[in-house]
Amino acid sequence: MHAAPPGPPSGIGPGSLLDSANRLSARLPDSRCEIIGGVITATPLLNGPHADTLTTLTLALGAAGLHGKETRVLQGIGLRLPGSPEDYAIPDLAVVDADFLGAEVALDVDEIVRAGRPKR
C-alpha cells in the first residue's frame, strides 16, 4: 500500500458512483459503504467479538514491529483501489506506509494477493 496525493480523483462529481455511495452512507449511518469493482456495497458495522479480534491482531502486528517508523497498523481506513477512480474499500485492518498522514492511501490488490499466497 502506498500514499497518494490527498483529494478526490479527477473527473468525480455530482451524479457519479462515488456521489451515490456518499449519499447511501449518509442514509445508512450504521453501515460501511464501499465501491469495489464499480459496485456499491453496504455492510453492517463491526460487532464486539469482531472488534476484539481486530484489537488482538493489531497488538500482535505492533509487537512484530509493523507499527513503527516504516509502517503503521490501522483499522477502518479508506483505501483507493486501482482499476477505477471511484473504487475504494474500508478494510477492517491495514498495514500502510508510515507517511500516510495527510495523503490518500491506495491499496495494491495484486500485492496483497501475492503476499497471501503460500510460499512453495
Side-chain angles (χ1 to χ4, degrees), residues 53-64 67 73-75 92-93:
T53 300
L54 286 177
T55 299
T56 300
L57 286 171
T58 300
L59 293 171
L61 292 170
H67 192 74
V73 180
L74 305 174
Q75 294 182 17
D92 297 339
L93 187 67

Side-chain angles (χ1 to χ4, degrees), residues 4-6 13 19 22 24-28 33 35-36 41 48 58 60 96-97 100 102-103 106 115-116:
D19 188 51
N22 287 336
L24 183 61
S25 183
R27 292 180 59 201
L28 300 171
C33 293
I35 302 173
I36 302 173
T41 61
T58 300
V96 300
D97 292 340
F100 77 95

Side-chain angles (χ1 to χ4, degrees), residues 58-114:
T58 300
L59 293 171
L61 292 170
L66 292 174
H67 192 74
K69 291 182 181 180
E70 293 184 22
T71 58
R72 306 298 282 177
V73 180
L74 305 174
Q75 294 182 17
I77 185 172
L79 301 175
R80 188 94 27 219
L81 301 173
S84 168
E86 294 185 312
D87 282 0
Y88 70 94
I90 307 168
D92 297 339
L93 187 67
V95 178
V96 300
D97 292 340
D99 66 354
F100 77 95
L101 291 176
E104 179 179 277
V105 178
L107 175 63
D108 183 340
V109 177
D110 292 330
E111 179 182 334
I112 300 301
V113 170
R114 281 192 307 273

